[in-house]
Amino acid sequence: MEVRPILSAMLRAKTAPLLLAAQVALTLAIICNTSYLIVERLTASSRSAGVDEPNVFAIAFAPAQRIDDLLSMQLRDEETLRAIPGVVSATWTNQVPLGQSGWNNGGLSATPDNGDSRIGAGQYFNPGSLVDTLGLRLIEGRDFAAADVVTVDPEQGMEVGEQVIITRSLAQQLYPGESQYVGRRVYSGPDGDGQQVIGVVEKLHNPWAPTDDVAAEGSMLYPIRFLDGNSVYVVRTEPGRLQEVMRQAEAQLSALRNDRVLRWARSMSEIRDRRYAGERLLAGLLLGVTGFLLLITASGIVGMASLWVNQRRKQIGVRRALGARRIDILRYFLIENALISSLGVISGFVLALALNDLLVRELSVSRLPWQYLAAGMVSMWLLGLLAVLAPAMRAAAVPPAVATRTA
């Protein structure tokens, strides 16, 4: 069958085909970008934070009044936690992975005069061993020793010590092209001698854990005991004993003092759920929008094809009477729809790139991979053919006598 007669018929009544092609183009542009956002958000929410999550929880207290014996309070709390049956390791810290709030250093570099080439990282204070307590994997160097720990009273000034442990991702940003990082120095500005890297952990997400893996894995550990009334303790338990230990930790720490209140106690699974609740909600909403758009587009194609079948019943009957087979009628409608869908898919390809460019500029999302564009184009083209198949088969099944009958 020649395509020219079909094109000629479409050009004589081009409004409906153009509207249908525009609907296909708009749907393609939206579903390509929403599908990528859905996968990106769900992938981010399920990635590992580098922590032994099934066996780790955190518990936080806030002062009800001024606390003067902060150092002895922290030491006693840690001793109490470590004495609970089932506890493997426990330590005070200033923040927790995926906790959504904490300390951040946005001015790190490998040299003191690195200008604008500054890198950000979450800052974990580590008087005990976060490497052990969080279950981190040390891939180079060593953990902090007790002699490395610096006790800091914020009312008397701030210091960060001489050593630092960093994540592999942060090390690769600071020292690109290198493979050994222990012994190098990290600087927070042009002043001072910086800190020496004594260890590298494979992975540790910072409290904000953005969807970009490089930014999420930017973390560093300082050997600091910070004297603050707002206390956070991280505990790792023996497998299967997390809930039991959590209950005992809440009861025993709450009973130690009456000048503070329990803020929260959460397992790492609960902390993860809170951090990624927004991503999962967004993914669900986008999934619903995508399904709705596909349904509307398919319904539009079916409705338009059914209208064209009814309008061409006499034409179909004449062609059947002149010897056209059912397959010829079916092929006519399929080719017509393929031409419309192709126009919509090509336009949608351009529109999808433009929409992604807007999202990259305004929302800092990643560039749309070509695989999503290719899959979206094929899916929309097949959707068009499948949607028109039922009306086309009904048209092909109409007997010539019925199709040419006048009222």
Side-chain angles (χ1 to χ4, degrees):
M1 177 181 293
E2 293 187 8
V3 176
R4 182 178 296 179
I6 301 176
L7 286 174
S8 299
M10 289 170 57
L11 290 174
R12 286 195 297 271
K14 53 181 175 292
T15 301
L18 287 177
L19 287 175
L20 194 56
Q23 184 178 4
V24 171
L26 182 61
T27 302
L28 174 61
I30 293 175
I31 66 168
C32 283
N33 283 279
T34 55
S35 297
Y36 180 52
L37 288 175
I38 290 169
V39 172
E40 185 182 52
R41 292 302 188 271
L42 292 180
T43 300
S45 66
S46 61
R47 63 191 170 174
S48 169
V51 179
D52 181 16
E53 294 189 24
N55 303 309
V56 173
F57 73 89
I59 183 169
F61 289 87
Q65 60 188 55
R66 179 179 174 84
I67 301 176
D68 295 320
D69 58 335
L70 292 171
L71 177 58
S72 61
M73 180 190 74
Q74 290 184 14
L75 293 173
R76 187 180 182 191
D77 287 344
E78 290 175 339
E79 181 182 357
T80 300
L81 288 170
R82 291 166 186 157
I84 297 174
V87 169
V88 175
S89 180
T91 184
W92 177 94
T93 187
N94 63 321
Q95 60 192 27
V96 294
L98 315 182
Q100 303 182 75
S101 66
W103 295 58
N104 180 69
N105 189 330
L108 299 173
S109 64
T111 59
D113 56 347
N114 214 15
D116 295 329
S117 301
R118 299 290 177 179
I119 298 168
Q123 296 176 294
Y124 289 90
F125 295 168
N126 182 81
S129 174
L130 278 177
V131 172
D132 185 34
T133 305
L134 293 177
L136 307 180
R137 181 168 175 256
L138 194 66
I139 59 175
E140 185 183 354
R142 65 173 177 87
D143 196 359
F144 295 120
D148 300 324
V149 178
V150 177
T151 299
V152 175
D153 184 347
E155 295 183 357
Q156 299 179 8
M158 182 68 186
E159 58 178 309
V160 294
E162 297 296 327
Q163 293 87 23
V164 69
I165 295 174
I166 61 178
T167 59
R168 176 163 55 188
S169 176
L170 180 58
Q172 290 171 344
Q173 292 181 75
L174 288 168
Y175 318 105
E178 302 293 335
S179 59
Q180 301 293 321
Y181 308 108
V182 169
R184 299 184 180 275
R185 303 196 74 81
V186 180
Y187 298 87
S188 299
D191 300 326
D193 297 327
Q195 289 77 46
Q196 184 182 52
V197 176
I198 66 165
V200 180
V201 294
E202 183 178 36
K203 180 185 295 187
L204 172 61
H205 281 185
N206 55 46
W208 307 276
T211 54
D212 178 72
D213 286 339
V214 174
E217 294 178 22
S219 298
M220 58 197 313
L221 284 66
Y222 290 101
I224 293 176
R225 180 178 293 281
F226 193 76
L227 302 182
D228 186 3
N230 289 287
S231 300
V232 179
Y233 299 96
V234 180
V235 181
R236 183 159 68 95
T237 71
E238 296 174 357
R241 304 192 66 176
L242 185 139
Q243 294 301 325
E244 169 195 347
V245 173
M246 275 185 67
R247 288 191 296 269
Q248 292 190 49
E250 289 183 47
Q252 293 190 28
L253 292 188
S254 297
L256 287 179
R257 308 179 69 100
N258 59 8
D259 55 359
R260 63 182 181 179
V261 293
L262 175 66
R263 291 174 55 204
W264 50 264
R266 301 184 188 115
S267 67
M268 276 304 302
S269 297
E270 292 173 312
I271 294 172
R272 169 180 288 278
D273 289 341
R274 290 171 65 91
R275 163 60 187 89
Y276 291 115
E279 272 74 8
R280 292 185 179 124
L281 176 60
L282 177 61
L285 291 174
L286 291 177
L287 189 60
V289 169
T290 301
F292 181 73
L293 279 174
L294 291 174
L295 179 62
I296 292 297
T297 301
S299 300
I301 295 173
V302 171
M304 190 64 69
S306 298
L307 177 62
W308 289 339
V309 168
N310 291 331
Q311 289 177 340
R312 299 172 183 175
R313 288 174 67 85
K314 288 188 177 181
Q315 176 187 342
I316 294 169
V318 170
R319 291 195 58 199
R320 290 294 308 280
L322 293 176
R325 298 167 299 169
R326 290 187 176 184
I327 188 64
D328 296 325
I329 304 300
L330 180 63
R331 187 167 56 208
Y332 179 93
F333 282 100
L334 290 177
I335 292 175
E336 182 180 60
N337 183 264
L339 293 173
I340 296 172
S341 296
S342 298
L343 176 60
V345 164
I346 294 171
S347 303
F349 174 83
V350 177
L351 191 59
L353 292 177
L355 178 58
N356 181 247
D357 187 62
L358 176 65
L359 293 175
V360 169
R361 291 198 315 269
E362 300 298 328
L363 300 179
S364 299
V365 302
S366 304
R367 288 287 178 184
L368 184 64
W370 66 266
Q371 295 93 331
Y372 286 83
L373 286 168
M377 292 172 70
V378 172
S379 298
M380 289 304 301
W381 201 77
L382 291 176
L383 177 67
L385 292 181
L386 291 174
V388 80
L389 188 59
M393 293 179 67
R394 288 199 301 270
V398 176
V402 175
T404 55
R405 183 184 300 161
T406 58

